[in-house]
Amino acid sequence: MKHTSYIELSKSALNNNINYLKGLAGKDTRFSMVIKANAYGHGIEDLLPMVEECGVDHFTVFSVAEAMRAHRVKQKQCEIMIVGWIDDDHLAWAIENEVSFYIFTLERLHATCQVAQKINKPAKVHIEIETGMHRTGFYKEDLKDVVRIIEDNRSCFEVKGVCTHFAGAEEMVNHDRIKKQIQRFKDITNGLEKQGIIPECYHCACSAGLFNFPETALDLVRVGISSYGFWPNTETKMLNLNDGDQTNDPLQRVLSWKSVVMSVKYVDENEYVSYGRSYLTNHPTKIATIPVGYGYGFSRTLSNNGYVLIRGTRVRVVGAVNMNMMVVDVTDLEEVNVNDEVVLIGKQGDQTITVSSFSDMNNSMNYELLTRLPGHIPRRIVS
Ligand SMILES: *Cc1c(COP(=O)(O)O)cnc(C)c1O
């Protein structure tokens, strides 16, 4: 193994999740898998062909750079949709390659119109409506300009979608805010229809929307975190598990992260381990060094705090996590050798390390920890 760790992607887990979530969305709802932020750390290039084989033909990315990566590796006919960043210089690329994108400012609408005219091909656009998140999207008052520009330049636009995004559908304390967003979306889209803007599809639901407000699935759902096997947060999990049965999670983790033991040695009692003085041995200690550190996405906050699996046993990180290495206490393991498998995330024997159990953090940290996994760690596909 040339690299110090690798990431495994489970095809059967992915297939399981996609089938389950498609089932929830219903057969009349298109399933868009969100693959922004390097497919939530899983790796766009490795994941996308597998997702296609699971029968998905719509992908959501954040930026034009991600769209280009997805476009390069896609094998089938599919729609790639940019929900965030695209600069004017790349509008022509998107239009020519039939990559759709969100429009949420008049500037982008004008620029799109000009480019579409110039290359004589309609842009596939999604009109984003501001319904209460206050991030991006058109306010109701701006829409008359949007309608006028589209109506005056019909040949420049193919209105693929009208959409919005919920401001935290995973939390029940936010229930009223989401309900208001749903109502506003209905009102505004009705108004747009009256003015002749009838898109191919309406969409607003992310994972938590699909789980907690199933009526918001509409024509298309944009599903990220749950297709990778993670719940948006614990609350959503508890509310949606089949009969509250915690042993029967319908979602399966797609990603595992593995390394090997690099060295094993003994430390006397009363010695500090790793940089500084954050860990002092209180007994003769057997330590194993693992060639993964914060430079690889294993956070420094896991110093004296995180766990890994070796020989089916949970062992603790001792001392500071370094840039390239960490040290774990393996005193309780009778046998441990160089090259033994180390599981940083995933299963070994009957033990599991979840991303969130990296430490005592809330499940919603899944999003952040996953996307910090560096793209340079090699990915391997397993069944
Ligand atoms: C990230 C994102 C999603 C997916 O959210 P999940 O909670 O991961 O399902 C959907 N829509 C938009 C616009 C997003 O930015």
Side-chain angles (χ1 to χ4, degrees), residues 34 36 40 83 102 135 165 206-207 222-225 367:
V34 182
K36 64 189 180 190
Y40 291 53
V83 300
Y102 275 28
R135 192 171 65 175
H165 188 56
C206 55
S207 295
R222 307 182 304 259
V223 180
I225 197 89
Y367 288 90

Side-chain angles (χ1 to χ4, degrees), residues 278 298-306 316-322:
S278 76
F298 198 93
S299 171
R300 260 179 71 96
T301 60
L302 299 171
S303 301
N304 286 315
N305 195 7
R316 209 178 112 195
V317 176
V318 291
V321 172
N322 305 166

Side-chain angles (χ1 to χ4, degrees), residues 63-133:
S63 67
V64 68
E66 289 168 347
M68 287 175 154
R69 288 171 61 190
H71 184 74
R72 209 174 299 128
V73 294
K74 82 181 173 75
Q75 285 158 3
K76 304 199 169 125
Q77 188 65 33
C78 63
E79 179 173 339
I80 298 170
M81 174 172 82
I82 302 171
V83 300
W85 177 254
I86 177 168
D87 58 343
D88 291 352
D89 292 344
H90 288 92
L91 288 171
W93 176 83
I95 297 170
E96 247 147 29
N97 291 288
E98 304 191 357
V99 169
S100 65
F101 50 91
Y102 275 28
I103 302 256
F104 40 73
T105 61
L106 287 173
E107 290 86 348
R108 186 178 283 183
L109 187 63
H110 282 299
T112 302
C113 192
Q114 275 172 9
V115 176
Q117 249 161 15
K118 197 164 141 211
I119 64 177
N120 200 18
K121 189 169 177 175
K124 295 178 189 287
V125 298
H126 297 257
I127 309 295
E128 190 188 6
I129 310 294
E130 173 60 72
T131 55
M133 177 153 185

Side-chain angles (χ1 to χ4, degrees), residues 253-271:
R253 304 290 153 80
V254 170
L255 177 145
S256 308
W257 185 19
K258 296 178 178 173
S259 182
V260 292
V261 171
M262 186 167 75
S263 106
V264 179
K265 55 194 223 162
Y266 295 86
V267 183
D268 289 339
E269 187 175 348
N270 255 328
E271 296 286 343

